[in-house]
Amino acid sequence: MSLVNRQILLDNRPTGEPSVANFKLVETPVSALADGEVLVRNHYLSLDPYMRGRMNDGKSYAQPQPLGEVMIGGTVGEVVESRNSHFKAGDKVVGMGGWQEYLRVDANQRGVLQKVDTTHIPLSAYLGAVGMPGVTGWYGLVKIINPKAGETVVVSAASGAVGGAVGQLAKARGCRVVGLAGGPDKCGQVVSELGFDACIDYKAHPDLKSLSRALKEACPDGIDGYFENVGGMILDAVMLRCNAFSRIAFCGMISGYNGDPIPMTNPSLILVNRMKLEGFIVSEHMGDWPEALKELGAMVATGQLKYRETVAQGIAAAPEAFLGLLKGKNFGKQLVKLV
């Protein structure tokens, strides 16, 4: 019996806020493999904020997601058929399989598939704590913020897959760690489960003065490092509390993903405090991935790095789950379970 692959395509580009109408579910037959190819049954699909930017047609650090093609996305799964000597049926692999149930790929392409060991690390973790989000957090913290023991590090979107890793890595380096998250439940779990020293509910502080006051209480010695995922008023409030020679790693600016401008209220503070601000794209630093994955993998395998997953069921649920991610409805890594 021939296999049928269910796929989610980008059908049209959003104007402002995206909706499920931007996506289209299709079914296509899986054709026979050619020499060198591998067929992977994807088990989990990763949903990540960067995908929102790729839906636009504007200039960015990466090419836009083409219309009428399978949405880009990281996947983990199992090889079910192979005509490539480097892979065999049963191998667990990670790759960019996209929003689809099966991936047919020429495995001779360098880096297109990576075998992973699930003896001590669950397969899904290779899309989160021991995958791109974990490495993103590691790079921004270690290579840009470079915190020293005793310093204060603040993390926005602290309950997300990236932010949660940043905070725990900073705690392991002897820092005071303060998170920002939406809602008392998330904030409580950031402290109790992930080990942050404090977490501020930004939804309880609707203006700059209120949020700045909350940051002052949580960071009595000021802020030495900040991992930025959000932008907007949160960045303004953090800037007001930053110490001289503080460092900010810019990972995401989700408050502007729908095209809204995100001005900075007090850019003069960059000069006054001699601050270092650096944006980064983790895929441009592949040489640092082995060092990052070694630390992250060891911490996950030994239970030192805690992580949460929010899991939607089935490929058809991917669009709604993605829109929920953009609104902060997930806790930890947002996944779609495909088997």
Side-chain angles (χ1 to χ4, degrees):
M1 184 182 295
S2 61
L3 293 173
V4 174
N5 188 15
R6 297 202 303 162
Q7 307 168 309
I8 300 285
L9 314 182
L10 181 62
D11 188 57
N12 55 82
R13 301 200 187 279
T15 302
E17 192 171 315
S19 74
V20 293
N22 300 130
F23 304 96
K24 183 179 182 181
L25 174 64
V26 300
E27 295 186 355
T28 58
V30 178
S31 53
L33 298 183
D35 286 341
E37 289 188 331
V38 165
L39 181 65
V40 179
R41 178 58 162 108
N42 293 326
H43 285 205
Y44 289 94
L45 162 67
S46 171
L47 298 180
D48 300 281
Y50 78 83
M51 296 170 178
R52 174 62 188 89
R54 298 288 288 273
M55 292 172 72
N56 295 335
D57 199 19
K59 182 183 178 186
S60 185
Y61 61 84
Q63 290 296 314
Q65 162 74 37
L67 290 176
E69 294 188 13
V70 176
M71 273 290 292
I72 189 173
T75 52
V76 288
E78 181 178 342
V79 174
V80 292
E81 185 181 349
S82 175
R83 295 191 62 182
N84 188 294
S85 60
H86 299 293
F87 296 90
K88 65 181 186 301
D91 285 345
K92 301 298 192 297
V93 293
V94 59
M96 293 296 288
W99 294 25
Q100 57 183 344
E101 294 176 335
Y102 288 92
L103 169 65
R104 177 185 167 214
V105 66
D106 179 0
N108 288 322
Q109 300 175 69
R110 185 178 178 184
V112 72
L113 284 181
Q114 185 75 40
K115 293 181 191 177
V116 293
D117 185 355
T118 58
T119 306
H120 302 292
I121 298 172
L123 183 60
S124 61
Y126 287 101
L127 292 176
V130 196
M132 182 270 290
V135 177
T136 298
W138 184 95
Y139 185 89
L141 180 77
V142 174
K143 297 298 183 179
I144 297 176
I145 297 173
N146 188 23
K148 298 171 181 59
E151 290 189 326
T152 297
V153 173
V154 172
V155 186
S156 60
S159 65
V162 175
V166 173
Q168 293 177 82
L169 289 166
K171 283 298 294 180
R173 285 160 171 77
C175 299
R176 175 173 175 78
V177 180
V178 175
L180 289 145
D185 289 345
K186 283 186 177 181
C187 286
Q189 290 162 342
V190 164
V191 173
S192 64
E193 293 184 21
L194 304 184
F196 283 54
D197 294 288
C199 189
I200 298 166
D201 177 8
Y202 68 83
K203 292 182 178 179
H205 302 281
D207 57 71
L208 181 60
K209 185 176 181 180
S210 175
L211 186 56
S212 179
R213 188 184 307 117
L215 279 165
K216 184 177 182 180
E217 292 174 2
C219 309
D221 298 323
I223 297 169
D224 302 295
Y226 175 49
F227 194 99
E228 174 63 293
N229 285 308
V230 178
M233 187 184 75
I234 289 178
L235 174 59
D236 288 333
V238 169
M239 293 273 289
L240 290 171
R241 309 307 325 162
C242 277
N243 292 327
F245 304 106
S246 49
R247 295 83 63 195
I248 300 181
F250 283 82
C251 171
M253 303 286 278
I254 201 167
S255 64
Y257 279 7
N258 289 329
D260 301 323
I262 28 179
M264 184 182 290
T265 303
N266 293 296
S268 60
L269 291 170
I270 300 170
L271 172 60
V272 172
N273 286 326
R274 288 84 81 205
M275 299 170 71
K276 172 186 174 182
L277 284 71
E278 184 174 339
F280 72 101
I281 307 300
V282 74
S283 58
E284 295 176 348
H285 303 280
M286 298 306 295
D288 294 295
W289 280 56
E291 182 185 357
L293 289 171
K294 183 178 180 180
E295 179 175 358
L296 293 164
M299 290 180 71
V300 168
T302 57
Q304 293 175 271
L305 185 65
K306 310 292 184 185
Y307 63 93
R308 263 204 181 200
E309 296 171 340
T310 299
V311 183
Q313 299 293 327
I315 190 67
E320 283 282 9
F322 176 64
L323 299 177
L325 166 74
L326 297 178
K327 293 181 177 296
K329 293 183 179 180
N330 61 303
F331 189 107
K333 179 66 198 171
Q334 178 65 63
L335 299 169
V336 181
K337 195 173 189 296
L338 303 175
V339 294

